[in-house]
Amino acid sequence: MDKIGVLVTHKPLPYLEQELTRRGCRLFRLWESPESRRLEFCRENSSEIRAIVGNSNFGADAATIDALPKLEIVASFSVGLDKVDLPKCKERGIRVTNTPDVLTDDVADLAIGLTISVMRRIPSADKYARSGAWKKGEYTLTTRFSGKRVGILGLGRIGLAIAKRAEAFDCPISYYSRSEKPHPNYTYYSTPIDLASNCDILVVACALTEETRHIVNRAVIDALGPKGVLINIGRGPHVDEPELVAALVEGRLGGAGLDVFDNEPHVPEELFALDNVVLVPHVASATIETRTAMADLVLGNLEAHFLKKPLLTAVV
Amino acid sequence: MATTTCTTNTPKIEKKPKVLVLQRINAYFEGVLSPHFDLLKADESSLPIPAFLSTHCRHIRALLVMAPIGTFGSSLLDQLPSLGLIACTSAGVNHIDIDACRKRSVAVTNAGEMFTPDAADYTVGLLVDVLRRVVMADRYVRNGSWMLKGDYPLGSKVSGKRVGIVGLGSIGSHVAKRLTAFGCPISYFSRAPKPNYPSYTYFPNVLDLARESDVLILSCALTDETRNIINRDVMIALGKDGVVINVGRGALIDEPELVRCLKEGVIGGAGLDVFVNEPEVPEELTHMENVVLSDHRAVTTPESFKNVLELAIANLDAFFSGKLLLSPVSC
């Protein structure tokens, strides 16, 4: 990949940066420009940029694609492609790859970890144990996770991995999907509201598209109810965030474990005082093992493209 | 449960069996138990305990022990000459002198498997929270650091980690089932291999188990053999990325040594729900970011308590009607 210009939209894993450089790529670090200057930065370097390495925060929108006439491939450091203008890429003949499968386990692990952490109030327990205020013989009651009904929005790779783990906790599994899937052990519901009405824990595990924006809205939150728990490891815009915050603050929703938000890294401050929420900074794939595997996929796809070989994980 | 046995119009209500309670009993427990038993509560008497026992308890046949605190041994048993059963609502019974009970033919029942699902769930929760840094990441968000400092440092993958379970009893096997679904290969140390679990690898000692594990999970009872079973050698064998999770009893681990090993980087992290001298938590642990600490709440859920009380009632009923106990502790 000698001298190929690669626009990196976000601060990359050091391993990825080293490898791209070692293979001869010329890196253009978009995140180092202030937001208002980014399109300008693209235009200034458009004669060289033939590839974009994007992520879940910044992929390749229409304006960026238009500013890069030599762009051939967008290799996203993510599985979600909601920040890539796929129709535009198709139109321009630009290839698009993502990082499926290698992060499935991490995301599913975190979904279950967040669920237990919310229901058993682990962050509060930790804070209390460190505080010196713990008194002999005192204990705090929290709600059991095992056996609770788990409802999954989207039964793709990640949804299935979550289901498999939750089953080991004797949780009955139900799901909503565009169509019913061949999983006779899992109960299908044809609308998100029906799913929410019939589960104790609702997990968002579908792709973000125009159809799934605000799939968790006021009605779904109400259906989940004051004992229900929402786990979002999808995308912030899956959930109507102001409605979610209001429901949690007012006690109309029992709890939430949130890895993603409407406008990261902004997190609604009203949530900070609540002990029935667990908030993490978009870390569902954030392990050394997985990020390295994701980097290898990005590198593998880029190399395959420039060597005119079949791409590893092409979406477009 | 009191039963009506006669055929006249006026039901004869049999006296409820008396059950002695020496600890303070909370309203919920009392509400569930009092329809079945006449609870004799020591803390409602103005008499000091020895006088209370000698005055009111010579005929007491059953004692209910709730919190696993204090010592219930020879000196108490000598003052309860009619005692036949100590019904505990905890899983652990190391606060009961089992030998002393056996010598006096006093049976002991515990919580059986009623706490098991919660204990297993909490173990998995602690493990994910340690490896994936959930508690610290939550703090990072709440104190505004995500806005100011950018991405949180990477954690470590849970799926596929080699899990070593110390004590493959009820809780250990439930943890194993859960972590198997996370793709974790399971090994264990137990007093003897368990033929029911052929897919788990048996190790005859904890040191060998630690050498071949990334995570050590403590789910065994505290006995003289298991006190300090996790010592420095075991932690060295576990290694610098290794994690210890303890929801058993604090004294399973050499606690000062654990603190040292964490400080020195001999092991990578720990998730601890129990401590040697609760509610004291070693001060140095409270400043560490690679540990998750907890206030002995692994099993305290309404679901567990409801089940445990039902089991205690069933054990007491069985005892008073001369039937087999449901969850006797083997003596």
Side-chain angles (χ1 to χ4, degrees):
Chain A
M1 286 198 284
D2 203 30
K3 299 200 182 57
I4 294 189
V6 178
L7 180 76
V8 183
T9 68
H10 56 285
K11 186 152 180 260
L13 191 69
Y15 165 72
L16 179 58
E17 187 161 16
Q18 282 153 31
E19 278 299 307
L20 285 168
T21 308
R22 191 181 67 75
R23 292 165 202 222
C25 298
R26 196 155 132 62
L27 299 184
F28 296 90
R29 298 172 175 77
L30 187 66
W31 83 89
E32 286 179 348
S33 289
E35 245 180 273
S36 51
R37 273 222 72 233
R38 281 176 189 174
L39 268 181
E40 192 54 45
F41 179 81
C42 289
R43 282 187 207 111
E44 282 165 8
N45 297 292
S46 60
S47 59
E48 290 192 65
I49 294 173
R50 293 169 65 188
I52 293 180
V53 172
N55 78 340
S56 56
N57 273 335
F58 195 108
D61 57 13
T64 306
I65 295 168
D66 280 338
L68 299 171
K70 295 220 171 138
L71 183 62
E72 298 170 31
I73 178 169
V74 176
S76 192
F77 191 79
S78 71
V79 67
L81 289 170
D82 43 287
K83 292 278 166 69
V84 178
D85 191 330
L86 295 173
K88 187 146 198 102
C89 287
K90 232 180 238 167
E91 186 196 306
R92 279 266 306 266
I94 296 168
R95 305 305 305 276
V96 179
T97 66
N98 63 350
T99 60
D101 296 317
V102 295
L103 48 63
T104 299
D105 283 337
D106 261 1
V107 177
D109 292 350
L110 187 71
I112 299 294
L114 279 177
T115 306
I116 301 174
S117 301
V118 171
M119 294 181 75
R120 306 303 308 279
R121 302 280 193 274
I122 298 182
S124 293
D126 177 274
K127 188 171 172 195
Y128 189 57
R130 287 177 203 251
S131 69
W134 183 11
K135 296 208 177 27
K136 197 175 178 74
E138 260 183 14
Y139 58 82
T140 308
L141 277 182
T142 57
T143 313
R144 174 177 287 192
F145 167 49
S146 272
K148 294 293 181 346
R149 300 166 300 168
V150 171
I152 306 174
L153 287 168
L155 205 65
R157 287 171 289 242
I158 292 173
L160 277 173
I162 293 170
K164 175 179 164 206
R165 285 155 178 73
E167 278 187 293
F169 292 77
D170 299 319
C171 296
I173 308 292
S174 50
Y175 68 100
Y176 160 77
S177 200
R178 279 167 301 187
S179 58
E180 198 167 347
K181 308 264 178 173
H183 288 284
N185 288 349
Y186 305 161
T187 305
Y188 174 67
Y189 287 98
S190 55
T191 70
I193 287 193
D194 280 348
L195 181 66
S197 305
N198 290 286
C199 69
D200 304 304
I201 298 150
L202 183 65
V203 185
V204 183
C206 53
L208 179 65
T209 64
E210 273 159 33
E211 290 83 43
T212 62
R213 189 174 182 281
H214 285 195
I215 192 172
V216 179
N217 55 17
R218 167 83 190 233
V220 167
I221 292 170
D222 284 345
L224 193 49
K227 294 207 174 126
V229 171
L230 177 71
I231 302 294
N232 192 0
I233 43 85
R235 287 286 182 265
H238 275 126
V239 176
D240 184 338
E241 199 161 271
E243 284 291 351
L244 173 67
V245 173
L248 285 164
V249 166
E250 293 164 26
R252 290 182 285 109
L253 180 64
L258 307 171
D259 184 44
V260 286
F261 305 87
D262 244 351
N263 186 21
E264 295 166 16
H266 294 269
V267 175
E269 286 187 19
E270 301 96 307
L271 297 177
F272 292 175
L274 302 178
D275 82 335
N276 58 340
V277 304
V278 177
L279 309 166
V280 288
H282 204 147
V283 293
S285 67
T287 65
I288 294 164
E289 296 94 329
T290 293
R291 290 286 167 88
T292 305
M294 288 164 69
D296 283 337
L297 259 186
V298 166
L299 291 162
N301 276 304
L302 288 174
E303 230 172 35
H305 171 76
F306 290 108
L307 290 175
K308 300 198 188 341
K309 293 201 178 125
L311 300 187
L312 305 176
T313 50
V315 172
V316 172
Chain B
M1 182 89 189
T3 52
T4 55
T5 53
C6 65
T7 53
T8 64
N9 288 332
T10 319
K12 175 184 161 202
I13 298 159
E14 286 173 13
K15 271 177 73 174
K16 290 183 278 188
K18 272 200 164 76
V19 175
L20 174 62
V21 178
L22 295 172
Q23 302 161 316
R24 187 152 33 102
I25 183 168
N26 66 49
Y28 169 59
F29 273 42
E30 187 162 359
V32 174
L33 291 163
S34 51
H36 302 265
F37 308 106
D38 181 6
L39 299 173
L40 187 57
K41 290 174 277 182
D43 70 345
E44 280 188 353
S45 167
S46 48
L47 292 174
I49 298 277
F52 179 81
L53 293 175
S54 58
T55 311
H56 297 291
C57 301
R58 306 297 296 174
H59 300 289
I60 281 292
R61 299 182 60 212
L63 168 68
L64 177 74
V65 176
M66 295 159 294
I69 299 171
T71 313
F72 295 81
S74 303
S75 56
L76 173 67
L77 296 172
D78 286 342
Q79 297 178 81
L80 296 169
S82 306
L83 193 69
L85 173 67
I86 300 181
C88 299
T89 56
S90 56
V93 290
N94 53 294
H95 54 304
I96 311 287
D97 185 338
I98 301 290
D99 269 349
C101 288
R102 193 192 319 123
K103 286 197 182 97
R104 293 165 179 73
S105 298
V106 174
V108 179
T109 59
N110 68 353
E113 305 213 331
M114 296 303 154
F115 287 125
T116 292
D118 285 330
D121 292 355
Y122 206 74
T123 301
V124 175
L126 282 178
L127 179 60
V128 178
D129 281 6
V130 172
L131 286 175
R132 300 296 300 272
R133 305 187 171 193
V134 171
V135 172
M136 290 298 146
D138 173 89
R139 213 178 275 198
Y140 189 78
V141 171
R142 283 175 207 253
N143 67 26
S145 292
W146 194 16
M147 292 282 303
L148 291 171
K149 297 185 193 167
D151 285 343
Y152 190 70
L154 297 179
S156 180
K157 187 168 174 169
V158 176
S159 278
K161 285 288 190 300
R162 298 168 304 164
V163 169
I165 301 182
V166 181
L168 198 68
S170 178
I171 295 174
S173 60
H174 279 66
V175 171
K177 176 181 168 197
R178 283 150 175 71
L179 290 177
T180 296
F182 284 67
C184 295
I186 307 290
S187 307
Y188 67 101
F189 161 73
S190 211
R191 279 167 299 189
K194 309 262 180 180
N196 286 352
Y197 300 107
S199 56
Y200 303 161
T201 306
Y202 172 72
F203 283 93
N205 62 70
V206 181
L207 199 58
D208 287 343
L209 179 70
R211 241 175 235 128
E212 302 299 323
S213 299
D214 304 307
V215 174
L216 275 185
I217 302 216
L218 306 185
S219 49
C220 55
L222 177 65
T223 64
D224 289 332
E225 288 87 42
T226 62
R227 189 172 299 273
N228 288 349
I229 195 170
I230 305 303
N231 55 30
R232 188 175 177 90
D233 286 338
V234 169
M235 287 188 270
I236 289 173
L238 183 61
K240 65 173 183 56
D241 294 322
V243 168
V244 175
I245 305 292
N246 191 5
V247 300
R249 285 288 179 268
L252 291 170
I253 306 181
D254 178 343
E255 200 165 87
E257 193 55 60
L258 171 73
V259 174
R260 249 190 305 272
C261 285
L262 283 163
K263 264 175 69 175
E264 294 167 14
V266 170
I267 63 170
L272 309 168
D273 185 47
V274 286
F275 302 88
V276 170
N277 193 23
E278 293 167 20
E280 281 168 33
V281 173
E283 205 250 342
E284 285 162 299
L285 290 179
T286 66
H287 303 297
M288 293 182 188
E289 295 205 350
N290 56 341
V291 301
V292 174
L293 308 176
S294 168
D295 57 340
H296 204 152
R297 66 168 65 183
V299 303
T300 52
T301 66
E303 292 90 341
S304 266
F305 281 135
K306 177 172 177 286
N307 293 343
V308 153
L309 281 171
E310 276 172 17
L311 179 60
I313 290 171
N315 275 310
L316 285 161
D317 278 346
F319 171 70
F320 285 117
S321 49
K323 300 205 174 95
L324 277 178
L325 300 173
L326 283 84
S327 58
V329 173
S330 47
C331 298

